[in-house]
Amino acid sequence: MQRRHLVTSLAGLSIAPSTSLLTSCRIMKKDIRKFGKMFEYLKDDVARTRETGDALMVVEGASFGGSAFHKQVWRNLKFVDCSFEGGYQIRLDAMINVEFSNCHFSGVIEFGVMTNVRFLRCHSEGNSNWGGQQGSSNVVFDKCRFIGSNSDRNRQGAIGTYGEATFLDCVIKWFDISADTGLVARGCDFDDVSYHPESAAVLIENCKLRGTFNMVPARLSSLTIRDTVVDHLDLNRADVTGDILIERVRGRSLLALIAGGTRITVRDSQFRIGPQAHSPFRLASTDTLHALIDNVQISGGSKPVELGFGTVGMASKGIAPKVNQTFTLRNSHIDHLDATYLRSAHVRFEGNEFGRLELQHSRIGTLELLGNTIVRTVDFTNVEADDAKVQPLGAGQARLEGSNIRLD
């Protein structure tokens, strides 16, 4: 799996923060080499521990742009109003029990394995690239601002860790975020952000995902998104070993043709697809055992909404995946639904409003179509069901060519 975040090759990195900002930082901050004993302790953690034990050391108003720190361990520290700059001058082995408050970061910085580290009201810009390595845990970014300078994803910076990371009330634009084994995001404003985890449990709550929230490629152990506004969420080709829950989400489009997703639930959500949307609403997996779409409104756009579980699409014809056990769609409104090529033990559509419904080429154990409002047609072409309970339909509404469905 290719990854371009945390930390890229310095040769290919063009660090372009604001010149006036960096100049201001250098004028206001004192070089860390002038901090005497504090500087010595940052260079030699063993000596510091021997002389001061676990006492907290506070470093305030320091600039870290002119001195190298390689292989050190920083622990029990608080940095206040400091600036960290340069390319690979800081390459730590580890960081433990550290807080950064109102600090600025620019360049390429490796903080090693981070444990119990907090960034409070910190900021970064341009295509700076910094964070923690594998094994990092309890790393929190609180009320931070990371603003890139270019919408080109190949020229954006990256922040986070190869382990776990939490983002609280942060504003992030044109940056990669990294949290390979676990992400929590609450109250954040993301704008054209990329995120490509390796095996993460992901929780996104009360956030705004503006532009495209790009998760291609991604490997997830689980995904929960709730109480969030989404412009465009791209999960295409994601591999999800556990469950997916999307609830109380307002958005424009979702692209999720995925592998896995043992249980998929989308409920109490609204999606309004714009006429010029670059992709429709698509949610499908050959591996989902249980799918529930409940109280979801999807409208607009020029293409049908695609929902599929079991064997999905023409390219999958003839493949024998795990059969979807249940696919339930209820109390929802969808202008045009494409649910073709289903392979499911039990499909139940109840209490929905459809403009047009397509179920062609599906293989279903029990099919229940009950209490729905259907404006135009239901296409049962080449549908085979062992047992079918279908509500009364108007004259000419049902297309039954090649199907074993019998209507009363």
Side-chain angles (χ1 to χ4, degrees):
M1 184 176 183
Q2 292 183 345
R3 298 186 295 177
R4 62 161 301 275
H5 57 302
L6 291 176
V7 170
T8 59
S9 168
L10 184 59
L13 184 66
S14 173
I15 301 166
S18 166
T19 302
S20 60
L21 177 60
L22 289 186
T23 301
S24 174
C25 287
R26 292 189 184 103
I27 291 174
M28 296 173 62
K29 315 300 182 189
K30 184 169 69 172
D31 192 300
I32 187 60
R33 290 171 292 188
K34 298 180 180 179
F35 277 66
K37 202 67 174 177
M38 283 187 178
F39 174 68
E40 295 177 14
Y41 284 159
L42 290 174
K43 282 286 192 177
D44 191 344
D45 177 67
V46 174
R48 178 194 165 199
T49 301
R50 184 173 59 248
E51 295 177 15
T52 67
D54 293 330
L56 178 69
M57 185 171 78
V58 179
V59 182
E60 187 169 2
S63 172
F64 285 78
S67 183
F69 294 88
H70 292 174
K71 301 298 183 180
Q72 282 84 13
V73 175
W74 286 359
R75 73 182 81 223
N76 302 324
L77 295 165
K78 183 174 183 179
F79 296 96
V80 180
D81 294 322
C82 294
S83 63
F84 298 83
E85 306 158 14
Y88 290 124
Q89 278 91 336
I90 299 176
R91 304 187 70 172
L92 306 180
D93 276 349
M95 180 180 289
I96 305 165
N97 300 331
V98 176
E99 179 178 313
F100 297 85
S101 179
N102 298 308
C103 291
H104 170 257
F105 302 87
S106 177
V108 182
I109 302 168
E110 292 187 15
F111 284 137
V113 180
M114 305 167 73
T115 306
N116 301 331
V117 177
R118 188 178 189 88
F119 298 87
L120 177 62
R121 294 186 298 274
C122 293
H123 60 282
S124 193
E125 69 286 308
N127 57 348
S128 298
N129 194 310
W130 54 275
Q133 299 302 313
Q134 292 180 350
S136 295
S137 62
N138 194 24
V139 178
V140 179
F141 300 88
D142 190 351
K143 300 179 180 63
C144 296
R145 292 179 62 87
F146 307 122
I147 309 297
S149 57
N150 198 306
S151 60
D152 182 352
R153 296 192 185 278
N154 292 320
R155 301 182 62 187
Q156 293 177 7
I159 46 90
T161 82
Y162 286 132
E164 302 170 354
T166 296
F167 295 84
L168 305 175
D169 300 313
C170 293
V171 177
I172 305 177
K173 180 177 182 178
W174 293 342
F175 257 84
D176 276 12
I177 59 173
S178 182
D180 270 357
T181 60
L183 169 71
V184 174
R186 291 193 176 97
C188 293
D189 192 325
F190 297 114
D191 193 344
D192 278 330
V193 165
S194 297
Y195 172 48
H196 313 295
E198 288 284 2
S199 59
V202 175
L203 171 61
I204 299 174
E205 291 185 313
N206 295 296
C207 291
K208 294 179 180 178
L209 311 185
R210 305 179 192 274
T212 297
F213 195 83
N214 186 335
M215 297 180 69
V216 180
R219 292 177 181 156
L220 309 171
S221 59
S222 64
L223 173 65
T224 299
I225 304 175
R226 59 165 63 102
D227 301 308
T228 290
V229 177
V230 177
D231 279 350
H232 176 60
L233 175 61
D234 193 344
L235 272 166
N236 210 24
R237 301 186 302 278
D239 190 340
V240 186
T241 57
D243 296 345
I244 295 175
L245 171 62
I246 298 174
E247 61 180 350
R248 298 185 300 277
V249 167
R250 290 184 294 114
R252 294 184 182 176
S253 68
L254 169 70
L255 181 58
L257 302 182
I258 66 171
T262 304
R263 185 180 296 271
I264 294 179
T265 303
V266 184
R267 62 192 177 205
D268 303 327
S269 298
Q270 300 85 40
F271 294 87
R272 176 69 182 177
I273 304 169
Q276 303 300 322
H278 55 283
S279 67
F281 187 102
R282 308 173 76 182
L283 175 59
S285 171
T286 61
D287 306 312
T288 297
L289 296 181
H290 301 282
L292 170 63
I293 313 295
D294 186 10
N295 189 29
V296 175
Q297 319 301 313
I298 309 175
S299 59
S302 58
K303 297 181 179 180
V305 171
E306 297 180 34
L307 298 175
F309 307 99
T311 304
V312 180
M314 290 295 293
S316 300
K317 197 171 184 180
I319 295 175
K322 292 180 290 186
V323 175
N324 168 257
Q325 296 300 302
T326 61
F327 173 21
T328 302
L329 174 59
R330 65 192 182 205
N331 305 322
S332 296
H333 171 92
I334 300 176
D335 290 343
H336 181 182
L337 174 59
D338 178 352
T340 57
Y341 289 94
L342 297 176
R343 184 181 178 91
S344 179
H346 191 171
V347 174
R348 183 181 181 91
F349 290 0
E350 182 176 17
N352 303 290
E353 296 179 357
F354 300 116
R356 179 180 173 186
L357 174 60
E358 299 183 37
L359 292 167
Q360 303 99 295
H361 311 292
S362 294
R363 301 293 180 264
I364 300 169
T366 298
L367 171 63
E368 297 179 292
L369 193 65
L370 306 171
N372 302 281
T373 299
I374 302 172
V375 177
R376 294 187 291 278
T377 60
V378 182
D379 197 335
F380 293 110
T381 300
N382 294 324
V383 172
E384 294 183 10
D386 296 336
D387 181 38
K389 299 175 183 177
V390 178
Q391 68 188 69
L393 297 172
Q397 267 196 311
R399 296 177 179 174
L400 297 166
E401 295 84 355
S403 173
N404 71 350
I405 303 294
R406 298 291 178 264
L407 303 181
D408 296 333

